[in-house]
Amino acid sequence: MRRRNLYLLILVVPLVVLLALGALPSLIGGGDVYYVVATEVDLEDGEPPTENVTETIDAANLSANRFPYTTAALEDGRSDAYEEGRFGFESAFTHTPFDEFSEFEAWNSAATDPEGDVAYVERNGTYYRLEITPASDVDT
């Protein structure tokens, strides 16, 4: 009976620690704050007005559950704030706007500018430039 309790304890303690690590970063905060900002743009000769960007991503393929920062920016012009955390620790356990832009680059690198954290998206015939922007550059 004691041995069974020991095995149970060995299984439960790491599980509780891992769950705490998943919840803790979102409670810590204190790091840099970022937003995804959507700006309506006009295409130049059918292409986005950024060098090395020749295509757009169709927003109809974006789910609000999978791309919460992007869809919020397309709806309101700016997403909810993402707070990086003091030591970058939070990004290992939570969804970030940087994750979304990495996925855009994987889907269609011709629609992104990874150096500037920029992606171009088309939604209902309107084209948007999405950019990950520090809070200091955003009017709140």
Side-chain angles (χ1 to χ4, degrees), residues 47-70:
E47 294 182 1
T50 298
E51 197 173 305
N52 300 326
V53 179
T54 58
E55 297 180 21
T56 60
I57 295 168
D58 186 3
N61 297 328
L62 305 179
S63 152
N65 290 333
R66 190 166 177 188
F67 297 95
Y69 294 101
T70 299

Side-chain angles (χ1 to χ4, degrees), residues 91-102:
S91 63
F93 295 98
T94 61
H95 180 75
T96 72
F98 300 102
D99 294 336
E100 293 180 17
F101 279 62
S102 292

Side-chain angles (χ1 to χ4, degrees), residues 1 17-18 23 48 51 56 58 63 72 75 82 84 102 116 130 134 138:
M1 190 68 157
V17 169
L18 289 173
E51 197 173 305
T56 60
D58 186 3
S63 152
E75 290 293 323
Y82 164 70
E84 191 172 43
S102 292
L130 298 174
V138 176

Side-chain angles (χ1 to χ4, degrees), residues 7-74:
Y7 290 136
L8 187 61
L9 187 64
I10 289 172
L11 289 173
V12 170
V13 169
L15 182 63
V16 169
V17 169
L18 289 173
L19 287 172
L21 285 174
L24 185 61
S26 63
L27 300 174
I28 293 174
D32 295 333
V33 177
Y34 294 93
Y35 294 93
V36 175
V37 177
T39 308
E40 202 172 313
V41 295
D42 294 322
L43 298 185
E44 296 174 1
D45 299 323
E47 294 182 1
T50 298
E51 197 173 305
N52 300 326
V53 179
T54 58
E55 297 180 21
T56 60
I57 295 168
D58 186 3
N61 297 328
L62 305 179
S63 152
N65 290 333
R66 190 166 177 188
F67 297 95
Y69 294 101
T70 299
T71 54
L74 290 172

